[in-house]
Amino acid sequence: MSEMKLKLKRLIGAYWLEILLGVFTIAITAVAICQWGWLTKGEYGNGHAIRTLVFAYGAIGAFYALILNVRRLKMNEAGLFSDRLGRGVEALANEKKLHIRAAGVRILENLYKTAESANQKLIRNLFLDFICNQTDIYYLEKETKPRRWKGRVDIEIAIKILGELVSAENIPLEEKQKELDMMNLDLRNLDLSSAKLEGANFGQAGLQAASFTVAKLQKARFWSAKLQGTWFVNAELQKADFASAELEKADLTAADLENVKNLTQTQLDTAIYRKNTPPKLPAELTIPENRAYKWEKDENGNMYRRIISTGEWIR
């Protein structure tokens, strides 16, 4: 019996408009039959009354035809969405050609703009799955060369776009952390400049020599992350969590570390910054004067950072 009720409920849910129009049509017909005198008598006569009744039926038919066209259009749009989604996913799965994967990222980005809310969530999940599947897990004990990191614009674009999409949505911080969960990933040397990654989880990730220049990283998690040589120039790191992160030679020039969490003076003393443009720090932390650098040309005429107090080159 309960199954019968469920089927009936689904049927009504799918065809509620047809049922409503049917009831309305029956009601008009019933009124016409029961009040036949309205059709044969009256000031305007029988012809006018019949024309009015026919017009009412015609209006109902036209309205229903409009509804059918809207439904047909939605079905066509759903089919088009599925087709474009399939092409985007197929491009992302291409193992041999980077530019095809990058094109797949752009296809999904454009599709996102016109997708419904549920489908937008699906596309964000596809971006995160792509990033995780195309990226090695970072293991310090068996550290190897990053897999084809040079020129991995597909990963860089995917992370930046995912950050843009998540930041544009009214999503609670806990949900942002899930949708931007890049924990344990090997992201060394990636260029993530200007990325919007508020609340992103980079816990235990390998981020050596990655660039977060001018990136928005408020409330991001970097606990136990490998940040040696990472660029945080002009990055916004308010309330970011650096518990147990390794910051040796990380460039904090003009970075905003206001209300930063779990950053110790010992960690800060291993980082570097450009002379006269130190990071903005909480009151309990002090600028390590001996970690300032300036840009200079080396013996080969190449521009590199050089720590003023020790003369050490940062290449």
Side-chain angles (χ1 to χ4, degrees), residues 187-204:
L187 305 174
R188 288 176 284 171
N189 301 299
L190 287 187
D191 183 2
L192 300 175
S193 302
S194 302
K196 294 181 180 179
L197 295 166
E198 298 96 328
N201 183 9
F202 293 106
Q204 299 180 326

Side-chain angles (χ1 to χ4, degrees), residues 40 44 49 60 66 88 174 181 194 229 239 247 253 258 272 295:
T40 57
Y44 299 105
I60 293 173
L66 177 63
E174 296 77 13
D181 187 359
S194 302
K239 297 185 179 180
L247 288 162
T253 299
E258 186 178 4
I272 62 174
W295 287 94

Side-chain angles (χ1 to χ4, degrees), residues 173-220:
L173 178 61
E174 296 77 13
E175 190 65 25
K176 283 185 177 182
Q177 291 169 345
K178 292 178 182 177
E179 295 203 17
L180 294 171
D181 187 359
M182 287 167 274
M183 184 176 178
N184 291 116
L185 296 185
D186 188 347
L187 305 174
R188 288 176 284 171
N189 301 299
L190 287 187
D191 183 2
L192 300 175
S193 302
S194 302
K196 294 181 180 179
L197 295 166
E198 298 96 328
N201 183 9
F202 293 106
Q204 299 180 326
L207 288 160
Q208 297 94 322
S211 177
F212 287 108
T213 300
V214 201
K216 296 183 181 297
L217 297 160
Q218 295 92 334
K219 299 182 181 179

Side-chain angles (χ1 to χ4, degrees), residues 63-307:
F63 181 69
Y64 184 54
L66 177 63
I67 296 300
L68 290 178
N69 285 332
V70 170
R71 286 182 176 174
R72 191 177 298 111
L73 180 61
K74 286 186 176 181
M75 289 179 65
N76 291 338
E77 288 177 349
L80 181 60
F81 173 85
S82 298
D83 179 62
R84 293 176 64 193
L85 182 67
R87 286 191 286 115
V89 171
E90 184 179 358
L92 291 182
N94 190 293
E95 286 291 336
K96 296 182 178 180
K97 296 184 178 181
L98 181 147
H99 71 278
I100 293 179
R101 294 194 299 274
V105 171
R106 292 301 188 188
I107 289 173
L108 293 185
E109 179 190 20
N110 291 332
L111 188 58
Y112 186 91
K113 297 174 183 177
T114 56
E116 296 179 355
S117 178
N119 289 329
Q120 287 182 332
K121 170 75 171 177
L122 170 64
I123 292 173
R124 295 199 302 271
N125 288 339
L126 285 173
F127 274 122
L128 184 58
D129 289 343
F130 170 72
I131 294 164
C132 294
N133 291 335
Q134 287 289 321
T135 309
D136 293 326
I137 299 297
Y138 180 77
Y139 295 104
L140 179 62
E141 59 272 16
K142 45 187 276 187
E143 186 174 306
T144 58
K145 281 179 96 175
R147 184 181 64 178
R148 295 175 296 166
W149 279 137
K150 188 175 182 181
R152 285 304 305 269
V153 294
D154 55 337
I155 299 295
E156 294 169 350
I157 293 172
I159 292 176
K160 288 182 179 181
I161 290 175
L162 178 59
E164 289 274 356
L165 300 182
V166 172
S167 66
E169 300 294 332
N170 186 21
I171 300 175
L173 178 61
E174 296 77 13
E175 190 65 25
K176 283 185 177 182
Q177 291 169 345
K178 292 178 182 177
E179 295 203 17
L180 294 171
D181 187 359
M182 287 167 274
M183 184 176 178
N184 291 116
L185 296 185
D186 188 347
L187 305 174
R188 288 176 284 171
N189 301 299
L190 287 187
D191 183 2
L192 300 175
S193 302
S194 302
K196 294 181 180 179
L197 295 166
E198 298 96 328
N201 183 9
F202 293 106
Q204 299 180 326
L207 288 160
Q208 297 94 322
S211 177
F212 287 108
T213 300
V214 201
K216 296 183 181 297
L217 297 160
Q218 295 92 334
K219 299 182 181 179
R221 293 179 175 181
F222 291 102
W223 44 271
S224 297
K226 311 304 177 185
L227 301 171
Q228 295 93 333
T230 304
W231 294 71
F232 288 109
V233 179
N234 286 296
E236 297 182 27
L237 291 155
Q238 300 93 325
K239 297 185 179 180
D241 190 343
F242 285 93
S244 301
E246 298 180 20
L247 288 162
E248 184 182 0
K249 298 179 183 177
D251 195 332
L252 301 179
T253 299
D256 191 341
L257 293 157
E258 186 178 4
N259 297 322
V260 69
K261 296 181 179 179
N262 299 312
L263 178 64
T264 67
Q265 189 66 47
T266 301
Q267 289 172 297
L268 184 61
D269 288 343
T270 66
I272 62 174
Y273 62 93
R274 188 172 182 178
K275 184 182 179 181
N276 299 326
T277 50
K280 182 179 180 181
L281 298 173
E284 66 271 16
L285 298 174
T286 58
I287 302 295
E289 300 293 339
N290 63 335
R291 301 303 289 172
Y293 71 81
K294 60 180 179 179
W295 287 94
E296 290 184 357
K297 287 184 179 181
D298 67 0
E299 61 276 7
N300 297 318
N302 298 315
M303 291 295 293
Y304 289 106
R305 294 167 294 176
R306 192 175 191 181
I307 296 179

